[in-house]
Amino acid sequence: MTSSATKDIIAIGGSAGSGAVLKTLVADLPANLPASIFVTTHVPANYWGYLPEILAARSKLPVTQAVDGQPIERSHIYVAAPDRHLLLAGETIKLGGGPKENMVRPSIDPMFRSAALSFGPRAVGLILTGMLNDGAAGLQAIKSHGGTAIVQHPLDAEADQMPLAALEAVEVDHVASAAELGGLLASIAGSEAGPTVAPPSDDLRLEVGIAAGARLGSAELRKIGSPTALTCPDCHGVLSEVRGSRPLRFRCQIGHAFTADVLASHIDELDEAIRVAMRIMEERLTLVERMARDARDTGRTAVAELYEARASEYRRYSETLRDAALTSLRLGRALRFQDL
């Protein structure tokens, strides 16, 4: 690739409903597009990776799954591999095995941050339809380093949460419908890039390194975050609030990262699971207590003692679940308070 200061790095992130948008988008791109395109969507670790083939059937550009260490070529579309963060390291692609971000790998935020780190004003970030707010923090990194920020119009999105979150966190340059995105990217690709706004910060380098697989640790974490009373859902370590981040984000010393919205959604799911478990346990306790009384009344002492012992065990389980429910409630309140 040449080093001319043009907008020639386009990073696209999407989730729920993004497959249909991507098919429309790539079909509108010319074969001689003077840019490289990188696509990250939320796919499970065991996904076979059919998206490159699906997009290739619609695209005039070659579409392939990204390979670790391969050089970046213009007029080419690279799709993130399952269970690896798609990162841009200078003029090459790196597949990062670092911790999950927002409970997924690949995650959109690391790709966007790496584009901002390596290419600054040459980078273009695009957020498509999706749930929650992965990508918003990374898009802010692209914008703050002189890049271009684009968001699919929320009213046009199957799931509007990711576009809305991006619009809340970033002063974007363009908002467009799915039908308009391909033409918009074609008009932007190869245009003159603006000046470098600021050199990449050490914080940005650190977070890109984490996604690549670099060990974090508490000392490094203190450089970018302050400890909170919240616990990491993945490893149960202490979460630190990432200072100055938009949207509000947290990391543990292992490196797992969460926006406040993702963390709150996990706590809500946990609350529901605890409530269901508590109801089942209370029903079992009521049943075995009734069976114990019936056994006593009919003179079956040994059977009654068996049921009473089981009832005692169920009471201990119920107490543990109540404690877990109270802990989850406190964490949820603390998280929502910090997000105000």
Side-chain angles (χ1 to χ4, degrees):
M1 295 178 61
T2 66
S3 57
S4 58
T6 62
K7 298 178 181 181
D8 56 358
I9 298 295
I10 300 174
I12 302 174
S15 188
S18 62
V21 180
L22 286 166
K23 287 191 290 185
T24 299
L25 186 158
V26 301
D28 292 334
L29 297 175
N32 61 346
L33 186 80
S36 307
I37 295 182
F38 306 87
V39 177
T40 288
T41 59
H42 296 155
V43 295
N46 59 354
Y47 180 67
W48 282 96
Y50 297 118
L51 185 58
E53 289 81 2
I54 293 171
L55 297 183
R58 299 291 192 95
S59 176
K60 305 176 188 70
L61 300 167
V63 184
T64 59
Q65 183 169 287
V67 176
D68 188 44
Q70 73 181 119
I72 296 173
E73 299 178 2
R74 278 192 174 178
S75 305
H76 198 111
I77 299 175
Y78 302 92
V79 178
D83 203 32
R84 290 292 182 270
H85 296 305
L86 173 54
L87 306 174
L88 313 183
E91 300 296 327
T92 61
I93 290 173
K94 183 173 183 61
L95 300 186
K100 293 180 179 180
E101 295 205 21
N102 297 315
M103 297 187 174
V104 293
R105 187 177 56 215
S107 175
I108 302 165
D109 276 334
M111 177 180 68
F112 281 0
R113 289 191 201 105
S114 70
L117 177 63
S118 289
F119 297 102
R122 293 167 57 187
V124 178
L126 167 59
I127 289 287
L128 303 179
T129 172
M131 302 293 289
L132 298 175
N133 59 354
D134 185 26
L139 192 65
Q140 173 62 26
I142 287 177
K143 181 67 176 180
S144 64
H145 287 79
T148 303
I150 307 173
V151 173
Q152 181 184 358
H153 199 299
L155 295 179
D156 181 63
E158 179 178 321
D160 64 4
Q161 291 182 18
M162 277 176 43
L164 286 172
L167 289 171
E168 290 175 1
V170 186
E171 186 176 342
V172 303
D173 298 286
H174 304 279
V175 179
S177 67
E180 299 168 329
L181 287 171
L184 176 61
L185 292 181
S187 68
I188 291 173
S191 63
E192 183 178 354
T196 299
V197 175
S201 66
D202 291 339
D203 292 357
L204 182 62
R205 295 182 189 277
L206 177 60
E207 293 207 89
V208 172
I210 294 168
R215 186 172 181 178
L216 180 57
S218 57
E220 291 294 301
L221 181 58
R222 282 195 293 272
K223 295 178 181 178
I224 63 172
S226 303
T228 70
L230 303 174
T231 303
C232 175
D234 282 342
C235 67
H236 309 296
V238 174
L239 284 173
S240 291
E241 180 181 334
V242 178
R243 288 188 288 270
S245 177
R246 294 179 58 195
L248 178 62
R249 291 189 297 124
F250 301 86
R251 274 195 189 272
C252 70
Q253 68 178 41
I254 298 298
H256 300 119
F258 310 88
T259 64
D261 281 358
V262 171
L263 201 56
S265 70
H266 176 81
I267 291 174
D268 290 342
E269 292 171 2
L270 179 61
D271 287 345
E272 180 60 25
I274 291 174
R275 284 194 291 270
V276 171
M278 287 179 65
R279 188 185 71 246
I280 293 173
M281 194 56 59
E282 290 294 336
E283 290 174 353
R284 290 182 177 180
L285 176 59
T286 299
L287 178 61
V288 295
E289 285 178 337
R290 179 65 185 86
M291 294 169 73
R293 289 196 301 272
D294 182 68
R296 287 281 182 195
D297 293 342
T298 56
R300 295 174 294 152
T301 304
V303 174
E305 291 176 350
L306 176 64
Y307 286 136
E308 287 165 354
R310 184 167 297 178
S312 178
E313 180 181 359
Y314 287 167
R315 287 191 197 94
R316 289 196 299 272
Y317 290 155
S318 293
E319 290 171 1
T320 300
L321 287 170
R322 289 192 188 95
D323 290 342
L326 289 173
T327 300
S328 179
L329 178 61
R330 286 195 294 269
L331 287 176
R333 286 176 175 172
L335 180 60
R336 289 173 176 84
F337 175 78
Q338 291 189 59
D339 199 21
L340 292 178

